[in-house]
Amino acid sequence: MINLENKRIVVGITGGIAAYKTIELIRLLRKANAQVRVVLTPAAAEFVTPLTLQAISGNAVAQSLLDPQAELAMGHIELAKWADVVLIAPASADVIARLTVGMANDLLSTICLATSAPIFLAPAMNQQMYRQAITQQNLTALLSRGIQLIGPNSGEQACGDVGAGRMSEPSEIFTALCHHFTVQQDLLGIHVAITAGPTREAIDPVRYISNHSSGKMGFAIAEAFAKRGATVTLIAGPVNLTASPNIHRIDVTSAQEMWQTALESAVKNHIFIGCAAVADYRIADIADQKIKKSAEEMTLKLVKNPDIIADVAHLTEKRPFTIGFAAETQNVADYAKDKLTRKNLDMICANDVSGGQVFGQDHNALHLFWKNGEKALPQADKNTLAEALVSEIMARYRQ
């Protein structure tokens, strides 16, 4: 058993059937010698009792922001300062929304607003609630502020639905917390440039051609590098995502803008990762005014865009360790290996996007190839996958 000797963990429990799992999580934390203080929302108390949680945690359970006894010592501030980590498991859609807008209308949300400790959320909700655009926007906003997510998993839910939204298992949450306390800023001094998202190629002032890339994988890789202390430059196409303040973000629109920015950044960095889905072609002649609909057919002449990742990989001076991505719909391994050689890459990350899978989704799987080697990274949420990918990249880079 991993030793979490005297690590101080505030465990917040919100209303949801997954609350019963948190009892086992607290048992694991206590067995690892962590100190645990439980904060229970009124809705959570309908699923698990304060007496049970007190017995498991070894401490009185905090429930009310307006408890006169607790507030004699400013209890919410005391807990906020006491915590090495604040974990909310399960984290309902409601508490996620309230944290996003900075509300402090109960004890748990007030602690989150008052603490300087890292905050972890283990989301748990119906799959349709999890898929809602507003929930995804809320989670993205919280990630951009440094709040970390554990899960959720996919599978059968208490309501009978099947999909993403199941709270991660207690052992998975426990492992994530252990990782947090053991991971070091081992990439201090490493400079990384990453491209992410799509590009847009203008047809006229109103229209453009583009692709389905959401940018989520590239942003997740940037966050994973930054979390380990690397200096990160993120060259982002037009996406609805935010990045942590410690990441240097450069926004671009077209492939040519991304190409110029990438080449300028590549020579300043040790590692370059081309995760963006760059348009292969652009319009030869962009109309100055909106093209009016008249004829039954319209022909657009396309010219090839520069190959960003190949141009970086073929630099003769200050060439960075270069990783590309291959999103394929067939013969994934063969096409990826061909790109690895033809574009002079150090590593390529291949994924199968047939049937529209991956784009815009929160989960992915990758197959990595390098000279005389390969490794499959199984399907996981993109943040977890990014962390595994960073470890593999650094292993190859250090060789």
Side-chain angles (χ1 to χ4, degrees):
M1 176 64 68
I2 295 174
N3 192 338
L4 296 179
E5 186 79 45
N6 292 325
K7 299 301 182 185
R8 297 174 300 203
I9 303 172
V10 169
V11 177
I13 306 177
T14 67
I17 189 60
Y20 80 91
K21 292 183 178 181
T22 310
I23 296 172
E24 172 62 14
L25 170 62
I26 294 169
R27 190 191 68 80
L28 291 173
L29 294 171
R30 293 289 294 127
K31 191 174 180 180
N33 298 316
Q35 298 182 49
V36 178
R37 301 281 295 274
V38 178
V39 177
L40 198 62
T41 67
E46 299 295 323
F47 295 91
V48 287
T49 69
L51 190 60
T52 299
L53 296 166
Q54 178 176 304
I56 297 295
S57 69
N59 286 303
V61 174
Q63 291 184 265
S64 175
L65 178 62
L66 303 177
D67 181 346
Q69 285 300 113
E71 288 308 302
L72 280 173
M74 299 296 287
H76 64 288
I77 300 298
E78 183 269 329
L79 277 174
K81 291 181 177 179
W82 177 84
D84 291 322
V85 157
V86 175
L87 165 71
I88 303 180
S92 64
D94 175 70
V95 78
I96 288 168
R98 288 192 291 116
L99 291 178
T100 302
V101 295
M103 293 181 69
N105 59 340
D106 65 6
L107 180 59
L108 183 56
S109 59
T110 303
I111 289 170
C112 290
L113 203 59
T115 191
S116 60
I119 299 173
F120 287 79
L121 304 181
M125 65 198 74
N126 169 266
Q127 55 87 24
Q128 186 62 38
M129 294 171 69
Y130 179 71
R131 288 169 51 199
Q132 286 288 346
I134 187 61
T135 302
Q136 292 302 310
Q137 290 171 19
N138 289 341
L139 290 171
T140 298
L142 292 175
L143 281 170
S144 73
R145 299 176 203 164
I147 290 178
Q148 300 179 58
L149 301 183
I150 305 171
N153 292 342
S154 295
E156 187 174 351
Q157 300 183 315
C159 61
D161 284 1
V162 176
R166 282 171 55 98
M167 189 176 93
S168 297
E169 295 304 313
S171 60
E172 296 174 309
I173 300 172
F174 175 78
T175 299
L177 290 180
C178 290
H179 177 73
H180 166 74
F181 284 115
T182 56
V183 70
Q184 298 178 348
Q185 298 282 286
D186 60 329
L187 300 187
L188 289 170
I190 296 293
H191 293 250
V192 184
I194 302 167
T195 65
T199 62
R200 289 178 181 173
E201 311 304 320
I203 297 173
D204 60 23
V206 176
R207 305 176 182 90
Y208 59 84
I209 56 176
S210 189
N211 58 57
H212 293 295
S213 176
S214 67
K216 289 181 178 179
M217 192 70 236
F219 273 64
I221 296 169
E223 297 289 349
F225 267 109
K227 189 161 67 174
R228 290 176 59 175
T231 300
V232 179
T233 298
L234 177 61
I235 305 166
V239 295
N240 294 316
L241 299 173
T242 53
S244 296
N246 58 333
I247 292 174
H248 175 50
R249 176 174 176 173
I250 303 173
D251 289 310
V252 299
T253 300
S254 69
Q256 286 186 299
E257 289 174 342
M258 185 173 282
W259 173 76
Q260 182 172 348
T261 306
L263 288 180
E264 291 172 355
S265 298
V267 295
K268 303 173 185 176
N269 287 273
H270 302 104
I271 297 171
F272 183 92
I273 303 171
C275 191
V278 183
D280 294 323
Y281 294 88
R282 67 182 184 276
I283 308 300
D285 297 302
I286 302 171
D288 293 330
Q289 304 296 328
K290 179 182 175 182
I291 300 172
K292 298 299 181 181
K293 182 170 65 176
S294 54
E296 290 298 318
E297 295 182 352
M298 181 176 69
T299 300
L300 296 174
K301 182 180 179 181
L302 304 178
V303 295
K304 186 177 283 190
N305 272 322
D307 191 326
I308 297 173
I309 196 69
D311 287 352
V312 170
H314 283 93
L315 288 171
T316 55
E317 294 184 13
K318 298 182 179 179
R319 177 192 180 276
F321 187 85
T322 309
I323 300 102
F325 271 70
E328 303 291 349
T329 58
Q330 59 182 340
N331 302 326
V332 176
D334 291 339
Y335 285 131
K337 291 177 182 177
D338 175 65
K339 285 184 179 180
L340 177 73
T341 303
R342 178 165 45 86
K343 298 192 178 188
N344 194 39
L345 305 177
D346 297 292
M347 177 187 285
I348 194 163
C349 311
N351 57 353
D352 185 347
V353 297
S354 57
Q357 60 183 340
V358 178
F359 289 125
Q361 303 301 310
D362 295 308
H363 290 72
N364 196 2
L366 294 172
H367 199 145
L368 314 182
F369 297 93
W370 58 91
K371 186 178 181 181
N372 301 322
E374 63 180 272
K375 183 171 183 177
L377 298 181
Q379 182 166 339
D381 68 89
K382 288 182 177 178
N383 294 315
T384 301
L385 186 64
E387 291 177 357
L389 176 59
V390 168
S391 294
E392 293 299 326
I393 290 172
M394 293 311 302
R396 305 281 81 75
Y397 173 76
R398 285 167 173 154
Q399 286 180 352

